[in-house]
Amino acid sequence: MNLKNQDIISINDLSKEDLLHILKVAKSMEKPKPNLLKNKIMATLFFEPSTRTRLSFIYAMESLGGEVLGFDNASSSSAKKGESLWDTAKIVEKYCDVMVIRHPIEGAARLAAEASSKPAINAGDGANQHPTQTLLDLYTIQKVKGKLNNLSIGMVGDLKYGRTVHSLTAAMSHFNPTFYFIAPQALQMPQTYLDELKEKGIKFVTESNLQKVSNKLDILYVTRIQKERFLDPVEYEKYRGYYKLDTKLLENVKKDLKIMHPLPRVDEMDRSLDETEHAVYFEQAANGIPVRRALLALVLGKAT
Ligand code: CP
């Protein structure tokens, strides 16, 4: 498998073998390799806010000896003056070796990749995909459970707009999971994802009451209600605070349940869970560093 010069846009573009290979390379990137990407430049095109993704990409690049340029919001770029994303990507490709893009519009990363001859990495496009988050999620699951196969995975919260759960569902489908999609009906996993699971013969349950299924789970993946994706603020207010997880959850769960969250959290998960043996979300965020190091090294042809 050779990811040199490849775009990383959708998790669906990667085979099971690709995913496992990236995880293997990530394992070898737990420590910095200070000269690996010397003289390489990464551009960050962030049209939407980010803490973890942008900073861990920057840290990953710099810890491999590379350099970084870019912007962290649309209004400090010429998008504010009306420049198209196509033109932005056409220009930025002249200044960098790899670009990392986050954008509120679904498909924006694919468009930037088409405009650019340099590899483009999707750091989240609207409610669509967040493939690098999914790779670090897989890396975390592999680390904390010792395997990816045959796990019962609950996803709770905003499954309609949450791009992390869309990507993770597609990726975990390679590993014979049983999914529990826990959300109010209006925020359930979109039908298109459920249809794909049916076609592949993958077991899943849709449910709104977490208590009813919490004892079955190996992994509980919590998500926030994605305020910024709601067209109607009144609709958001209806679902805000729908789930508020705290240590009461733990009365009825497996001893080795692991709780994940892509973060940021708002009010869906209480800090009382943080110090329990179940919480792995801070470790999960830290795993973004080796995984993003691996992706940068692979697409820049400095790892195989
Ligand atoms: N998980 C994640 O994408 O976090 P940020 O929005 O802070 O990058």
Side-chain angles (χ1 to χ4, degrees), residues 49-54 102 130 133 262-264:
S50 167
T51 296
R52 276 147 293 275
T53 310
R54 194 176 69 84
R102 171 171 287 193
H130 195 347
Q133 175 70 43
L263 304 175

Side-chain angles (χ1 to χ4, degrees), residues 46 50-61 289 292:
F46 275 62
S50 167
T51 296
R52 276 147 293 275
T53 310
R54 194 176 69 84
L55 296 184
S56 63
F57 259 115
I58 292 172
Y59 182 64
M61 187 65 181
I289 296 163
R292 291 179 170 125

